[in-house]
Amino acid sequence: MEDAHYAYKFMAQYYQCINERNKNALQYLYTDNSRVLWNGVGYEGKERIKALYDALPQNTDFFCQSIDAQAVGNDLLITSSGTVYYANDMSTMKLYSHQIYLAASESPVILVENFRWLSPCKPPKPKPMGGTMGGRGGGYPTKKF
């Protein structure tokens, strides 16, 4: 429970920095060995990661809808998901998935981060498979034993 509480507080502050246009505060969470994978593009090191956040549109709004935390030894893996939109334009809204691997230290240090936009999916329509099972019908496949 302690990990989940810490993860919630950490992610609330993280997204607040982005939403309130205080992206400079994020640079203190990374080291020269930190790595970020942003929609399939890799960034390594504090300076390159800072440049990534500086390149985001000024009005970026994240709405985190779920957070999960798992201890990995003394470190912490945080997974979150929600919606994000840019430039106050709701038509740019996308779903996202976000994972952060925090090192165990006195102050939070992001070792690895993965951010990915997601596409909404529609479940496929079920297709009849033909045949019967046990003579009851219902479109289940027939298998002879």
Side-chain angles (χ1 to χ4, degrees):
M1 187 65 160
E2 187 176 313
D3 291 340
H5 181 71
Y6 180 82
Y8 177 82
K9 285 176 49 178
F10 176 83
M11 295 307 285
Q13 291 174 345
Y14 178 95
Y15 290 129
Q16 183 178 11
C17 286
I18 293 177
N19 291 347
E20 292 181 357
R21 295 23 156 193
N22 189 13
K23 297 172 190 166
N24 286 332
L26 295 176
Q27 71 181 331
Y28 300 106
L29 298 174
Y30 301 94
T31 70
D32 289 333
N33 296 321
S34 296
R35 293 183 312 233
V36 172
L37 187 61
W38 186 273
N39 288 304
V41 179
Y43 299 85
E44 187 168 349
K46 182 188 280 193
E47 293 304 316
R48 291 203 58 214
I49 294 168
K50 182 183 180 309
L52 162 68
Y53 284 108
D54 288 344
L56 289 178
Q58 189 63 23
N59 296 322
T60 302
D61 292 296
F62 284 85
F63 296 96
C64 183
Q65 296 167 336
S66 68
I67 296 176
D68 180 49
Q70 297 294 317
V72 181
N74 291 327
D75 299 336
L76 190 63
L77 175 63
I78 303 172
T79 301
S80 65
S81 63
T83 57
V84 60
Y85 66 93
Y86 301 98
N88 294 324
D89 181 358
M90 294 295 282
S91 70
T92 65
M93 184 180 293
K94 296 180 182 285
L95 300 171
Y96 73 85
S97 174
H98 192 187
Q99 297 81 35
I100 290 180
Y101 191 88
L102 283 178
S105 62
E106 290 185 26
S107 60
V109 173
I110 297 174
L111 295 178
V112 179
E113 180 175 7
N114 180 35
F115 179 89
R116 191 79 175 166
W117 289 321
L118 304 173
S119 299
C121 61
K122 295 179 185 177
K125 291 183 180 180
K127 295 180 182 176
M129 298 176 72
T132 61
M133 183 176 279
R136 293 182 289 165
Y140 296 101
T142 301
K143 183 169 183 175
K144 295 182 180 180
F145 295 94

